[in-house]
Amino acid sequence: MNYQFTNIDGSLWFISNDEKVVYNKNKKWYYFDAADGLPLAPQSLYLTKNGRIWCGGSHNQVAATAYLNSDNKWIKQIHDSISWSINENAVTEGVDGGVWFGGAPNPKGGAGQLGGIVKIKVDSNTTRTTPFYISHPVFNSLVLNGDSGLYAATAFGLHSFSEKILHTYYRNGVKTIVQLDPKLKVNSERIIYKRLKWTKSGTLWAATSDGGVRKYFGDKEQKTFTKVDGLGTNVVYD
C-alpha cells in the first residue's frame, strides 16, 4: 500500500495496489472502492486545511476526482476534456479553499482530451469546476503563487494559472499573458521543470531537469543557476 497522510484524528490513509482507499483508525482497517463513489483507479489522496479528503485518479480512462462528504460517501467529478487521469503529484489547495489538480501526461487527443489542469471549489453542496487547457503537459509539481492561483512545473516550461488569465514563462524571462479561453492551447518552452518552492517573500525557486535552478521574483526571472555558478549538475530534481 502507498501511504498518503495522517488525518487529524490519527487515522492513517493509504491507496492499495487493488485500487482501494484504505485507512486505519483505532487499530481497525476500513476501505472505500468504486461502489462508494471513488474513481475506478485512485492515484493520490489530499487532505485540505478544513479536513476534507480529496482523491485524484482515473475513471473509465478519463481524469476524475472525488471528495469524501459528511455522510462518508465520495462525490465524484469527471474531467473528460483534461486527460485520461490525474497526475498523482499534481495537487494543491488554493488560498480560497479551491483544490487544483493537474492532468496526467499524454492526454488522448482522439478522445477529445486537451490536456491541462482543473480547479474545484466546493461551497455547501455546490461544486464548481474551472478547467485550464494547455497542450502536451506533464505536471510535475504545483505550488500556490499567493493570489488565489498557482504555479505549475511541467515538462514544457513554467506556467501560472489564475481565474482570469494564463501566464506562460519563457527561458529568457519574458512573460506572455493570454486571456483565458476554454479551448485555449499554449505551447511553451521545452524545459522540464521538476519541483517548485514559493517563499513568503514572494520568490519562486524552480528545479529543472536540464537547466539548473531558476529564481523568479514577481513577473521576472531574476537568475538561472547552473554548473557555471557552482552547481554540481544542471539536472536538479528537488
Side-chain angles (χ1 to χ4, degrees):
M1 293 193 297
N2 295 315
Y3 171 77
Q4 300 293 303
F5 59 81
T6 299
N7 207 341
I8 191 172
D9 61 3
S11 57
L12 305 175
W13 289 74
F14 307 83
I15 291 180
S16 67
N17 293 332
D18 58 351
E19 299 182 328
K20 291 181 174 65
V21 168
V22 179
Y23 68 100
N24 183 294
K25 184 176 182 180
N26 298 327
K27 298 183 179 180
K28 293 183 179 180
W29 291 94
Y30 306 87
Y31 75 87
F32 298 102
D33 59 19
D36 300 297
L38 274 175
L40 286 169
Q43 297 296 313
S44 63
L45 299 178
Y46 186 83
L47 180 65
T48 65
K49 293 188 293 290
N50 67 1
R52 176 170 284 144
I53 299 173
W54 284 87
C55 175
S58 180
H59 191 81
N60 292 326
Q61 293 299 303
V62 297
T65 54
Y67 67 89
L68 188 63
N69 71 5
S70 57
D71 296 324
N72 227 30
K73 294 293 184 181
W74 292 89
I75 308 302
K76 184 166 64 250
Q77 303 83 40
I78 299 296
H79 314 288
D80 51 4
S81 61
I82 292 293
S83 188
W84 60 274
S85 183
I86 295 296
N87 190 326
E88 60 181 318
N89 295 317
V91 56
T92 194
E93 182 179 4
V95 295
D96 63 351
V99 182
W100 299 77
F101 294 89
N106 303 315
K108 300 175 181 179
Q113 297 173 4
L114 302 175
I117 199 167
V118 62
K119 178 185 177 182
I120 308 174
K121 184 78 184 309
V122 178
D123 294 307
S124 299
N125 294 321
T126 302
T127 303
R128 181 166 61 93
T129 61
T130 306
F132 299 84
Y133 302 109
I134 178 171
S135 57
H136 310 298
V138 178
F139 290 96
N140 294 315
S141 177
L142 301 179
V143 65
L144 296 183
N145 66 13
D147 63 356
S148 79
L150 83 165
Y151 288 108
T154 82
F156 288 81
L158 175 67
H159 298 268
S160 176
F161 298 82
S162 71
E163 288 288 355
K164 297 180 180 179
I165 54 179
L166 165 67
H167 312 268
T168 301
Y169 283 82
Y170 292 92
R171 189 168 199 165
N172 61 5
V174 177
K175 184 178 74 173
T176 300
I177 301 177
V178 184
Q179 293 299 318
L180 182 64
D181 184 318
K183 298 298 182 182
L184 178 68
K185 286 188 177 183
V186 178
N187 286 300
S188 56
E189 61 177 341
R190 292 179 177 269
I191 298 296
I192 302 174
Y193 282 72
K194 300 298 292 184
R195 289 291 182 268
L196 301 174
K197 177 67 176 179
W198 175 266
T199 69
K200 293 182 179 179
S201 65
T203 301
L204 178 71
W205 294 88
T208 75
S209 65
D210 49 4
V213 175
R214 297 181 178 185
K215 178 183 178 183
Y216 294 86
F217 188 82
D219 294 338
K220 296 181 180 180
E221 179 183 339
Q222 286 190 322
K223 175 69 176 177
T224 297
F225 300 90
T226 64
K227 291 177 65 176
V228 176
D229 303 290
L231 286 180
T233 175
N234 289 338
V235 180
V236 183
Y237 290 99
D238 205 348

